[in-house]
Amino acid sequence: MASQLLNVPHLAFFPTISPFNPSLFSKLKPSFFHSTSTSRALKSSSNSRIINLQAVAETSSEIESNSAANTTFLTLRQICQGFVPEHILHRMEEIGFISPTDIQREALPTLFTGRDCILHAQTGSGKTLTYLLLIFSLINPQRSSVQAVIVVPTRELGMQVTKVARMLAAKSEIDVKGCTVMALLDGGILRRHKSWLKAEPPAILVATVASLCHMLEKHIFRLDSVKVLVVDEVDFLFYSSKQVGSVRKLLTSFSSCDKRQTVFASASIPQHKHFVHDCIQQKWTKRDVVHVHVSAIMPMPLCLLHRFVMCEKTNKLQVLLALLEYDAPESAIIFVGEQSEKSKKAGNDPSTTLLMEFLKTSYKGSLEILLLEGDMNFNSRAASLTEIRQGGGFLLVSTDIAARGIDLPETTHIFNFDLPQTVTDYLHRAGRAGRKPFSDRKCIVANLITSEERFVLQRYENELMFSCEELML
Ligand SMILES: Nc1ncnc2c1ncn2[C@@H]1O[C@H](COP(=O)(O)OP(=O)(O)OP(=O)(O)O)[C@@H](O)[C@H]1O
């Protein structure tokens, strides 16, 4: 494995820059999952870097799918037995988690040895349960201290992770309150959380970066007793110019990687070998961090069928309506681009508003039409998701706020009303469908594009290795 890492050309990309510099990544536009020929041109001045990488290659390691062959036929219970308390295993089975998904099978044995891990697996592959089972194997609910922290990029994802953790921690189906999980999310009632954190610290804290750092900076609590730190959607947090500084602080100033087990998770870790290197160099993880990479050659779930319809900008709404009639989705998410600052200043309505108005008057189907976007207040956002989770089919109109991590397993269709801005966004938007790990059901990702956008979609197809079929309506 050591030589494999050293031979990868794009490891030599960044001879003098600060590590994991997101802006540089976007400027270079490297292939998303694979090294490209551009690396050769950039390689020349990188010898010193290669020497550093040799040290990295000797300590970190990479597990690819099916390498943990001795766990192939085990149930989740058998993999976790002896590590995870019996009542959690019991709840896990009551909920319906019996067989492990690939990432659970590959990563859990390594996580139980105490090594830091990067969980890198397709959308909807069960990364949440993977890190939660590790957490439950380590915490002692009798102890009054924060022992595990899960950092998430959005309030919505935080609420979802909290719910799964509480479901697992509950002693029985009816006792969902008997748990020690606290959500510390942007827009929450931080005052009440402050006193709670001091008086009765929860064992598990699910937090957005800003809220967590606020509490740490105000010395409301410390991370001294934290055994596990999970950063979910890690690439998103590192790419966000607003959050990257706080994440770095959290990983190095507020706590030390030697004193905790660190887990990073995402379906997309562009330039992942470089990221592993940075994890070690920057002391975000220990030197023997393991990169568990499932389905390395197939970034998108196979159950997704991708289509495109070519149309003019001016008749997109009508085309969407025709698609909704043609496909008759059980539940769908319609992704719309964010409104530009220029359009906001000009006083225009955002596309989400126009689309909602159009659907409310023209859509004659039975699905409930809901909206989720960043400009809504937190309560309205929460209400939309709660309504969806109560059952019944839905048509959710959303910006990319719903693209990361949100788990609505009944979603059968994704409509990209506006094409996503990046290949990573395409992967995460598409991955909101096809989220039932052991189902054969095919789900549809439909893209409404103008002829000028065809080449962009083609690029996404090449980088993510899927093919998109044209649909003539
Ligand atoms: N072992 C399992 N058996 C059955 N269902 C499972 C299992 N593990 C996870 N799931 C279900 O799979 C779905 C996707 O899981 P999860 O939200 O953890 O995906 P993820 O890998 O975090 O995806 P993303 O990268 O999009 O955030 C959830 O509905 C979850 O309940």
Side-chain angles (χ1 to χ4, degrees):
M1 183 49 66
S3 59
Q4 212 172 318
L5 275 173
L6 281 172
N7 287 336
V8 174
H10 69 231
L11 284 177
F13 259 26
F14 311 98
T16 54
I17 53 148
S18 67
F20 203 60
N21 180 337
S23 60
L24 190 73
F25 279 106
S26 58
K27 272 183 210 147
L28 284 172
K29 289 207 178 68
S31 163
F32 188 71
F33 288 92
H34 303 273
S35 55
T36 66
S37 55
T38 34
S39 63
R40 258 172 259 133
L42 293 155
K43 204 163 132 183
S44 56
S45 60
S46 58
N47 287 347
S48 60
R49 192 75 167 175
I50 289 178
I51 292 164
N52 287 343
L53 287 166
Q54 191 156 15
V56 170
E58 279 160 9
T59 49
S60 74
S61 55
E62 181 161 5
I63 296 179
E64 290 205 354
S65 211
N66 299 325
S67 59
N70 54 353
T71 57
T72 304
F73 301 108
L74 299 183
T75 61
L76 256 179
R77 168 180 281 278
Q78 286 167 327
I79 293 173
C80 298
Q81 200 91 50
F83 297 102
V84 179
E86 176 53 34
H87 75 274
I88 303 282
L89 295 181
H90 184 71
R91 274 298 291 147
M92 178 184 85
E93 290 174 332
E94 264 183 350
I95 296 167
F97 302 141
I98 310 292
S99 300
T101 61
D102 287 346
I103 185 71
Q104 289 155 6
R105 187 187 306 108
E106 304 290 334
L108 282 167
T110 308
L111 286 168
F112 291 146
T113 66
R115 283 179 77 172
D116 293 345
C117 270
I118 300 167
L119 308 176
H120 188 178
Q122 290 178 344
T123 52
S125 57
K127 295 182 286 295
T128 313
L129 183 63
T130 313
Y131 62 67
L132 285 176
L133 287 171
L134 167 72
I135 288 174
F136 284 115
S137 78
L138 291 174
I139 58 167
N140 175 359
Q142 293 347 317
R143 271 187 65 189
S144 180
S145 60
V146 178
Q147 296 160 63
V149 173
I150 304 167
V151 178
V152 290
T154 63
R155 182 179 165 80
E156 281 69 23
L157 184 54
M159 282 158 50
Q160 181 180 295
V161 172
T162 305
K163 191 173 164 202
V164 182
R166 284 184 179 156
M167 262 165 41
L168 284 167
K171 291 269 191 280
S172 73
E173 236 170 308
I174 38 168
D175 166 34
V176 280
K177 288 197 191 106
C179 58
T180 54
V181 189
M182 175 173 159
L184 186 67
L185 307 170
D186 297 343
I189 312 154
L190 289 181
R191 219 173 324 128
R192 202 195 306 156
H193 286 92
K194 274 182 195 164
S195 6
W196 186 12
L197 266 171
K198 276 190 171 161
E200 213 181 316
I204 304 172
L205 187 64
V206 182
T208 44
V209 187
S211 298
L212 180 61
C213 287
H214 172 81
M215 292 294 187
L216 292 166
E217 268 152 21
K218 298 268 173 223
H219 306 290
I220 307 297
F221 81 110
R222 294 156 61 100
L223 297 178
D224 296 351
S225 353
V226 167
K227 297 176 183 170
V228 198
L229 175 62
V230 176
V231 182
D232 204 348
E233 305 294 342
V234 64
D235 60 315
F236 181 87
L237 288 169
F238 271 107
Y239 270 74
S240 154
S241 51
K242 277 192 204 150
Q243 313 203 57
V244 63
S246 304
V247 179
R248 282 166 177 262
K249 245 166 124 180
L250 185 65
L251 292 169
T252 51
S253 315
F254 290 127
S255 66
S256 153
C257 70
D258 296 327
K259 298 204 174 130
R260 57 167 200 251
Q261 189 172 357
T262 310
V263 180
F264 294 143
S266 184
S268 56
I269 303 186
Q271 300 286 345
H272 59 252
K273 287 181 174 152
H274 194 271
F275 179 64
V276 175
H277 168 251
D278 282 345
C279 284
I280 297 166
Q281 293 294 302
Q282 300 291 309
K283 296 197 170 28
W284 299 332
T285 65
K286 292 188 268 307
R287 297 185 66 77
D288 62 351
V289 57
V290 182
H291 175 216
V292 187
H293 198 180
V294 173
S295 310
I297 53 160
M298 202 176 293
M300 301 277 265
L302 263 180
C303 64
L304 299 178
L305 302 178
H306 304 259
R307 294 178 182 157
F308 69 91
V309 181
M310 207 86 95
C311 56
E312 298 296 324
K313 259 192 180 146
T314 46
N315 72 342
K316 264 191 175 182
L317 289 169
Q318 295 303 333
V319 171
L320 175 68
L321 199 60
L323 265 176
L324 288 171
E325 274 166 24
Y326 177 87
D327 272 344
E330 282 173 26
S331 284
I333 306 179
I334 305 171
F335 281 105
V336 180
E338 298 278 350
Q339 190 184 19
S340 68
E341 285 306 314
K342 197 173 154 196
S343 160
K344 270 187 199 165
K345 275 187 192 146
N348 298 330
D349 279 334
S351 313
T352 41
T353 310
L354 300 175
L355 189 50
M356 285 298 284
E357 279 167 10
F358 173 78
L359 287 174
K360 280 187 176 155
T361 51
S362 311
Y363 172 70
K364 301 288 178 249
S366 59
L367 304 180
E368 186 165 5
I369 303 165
L370 296 159
L371 175 66
L372 187 71
E373 62 176 339
D375 286 346
M376 287 161 67
N377 69 38
F378 290 119
N379 290 342
S380 319
R381 274 160 58 174
S384 283
L385 285 176
T386 311
E387 221 161 307
I388 286 175
R389 292 198 165 110
Q390 274 163 0
F394 59 85
L395 262 188
L396 177 68
V397 174
S398 180
T399 55
D400 280 305
I401 194 168
R404 284 275 181 164
I406 299 298
D407 184 47
L408 302 171
E410 304 314 317
T411 309
T412 55
H413 286 66
I414 300 297
F415 295 99
N416 282 325
F417 184 78
D418 294 320
L419 205 56
Q421 297 253 315
T422 67
V423 65
T424 314
D425 293 340
Y426 189 96
L427 178 138
H428 287 277
R429 281 189 186 183
R432 293 319 97 204
R435 299 184 65 82
K436 294 190 175 172
F438 302 105
S439 162
D440 293 334
R441 171 116 201 225
K442 298 284 179 203
C443 294
I444 305 284
V445 183
N447 299 285
L448 283 74
I449 56 168
T450 59
S451 54
E452 300 85 68
E453 286 172 324
R454 178 66 190 110
F455 87 98
V456 181
L457 184 59
Q458 189 78 62
R459 186 159 58 78
Y460 295 171
E461 289 177 59
N462 294 341
E463 296 211 13
L464 296 172
M465 286 169 286
F466 67 93
S467 76
C468 211
E469 187 189 309
E470 181 164 12
L471 183 69
M472 307 280 191
L473 286 174

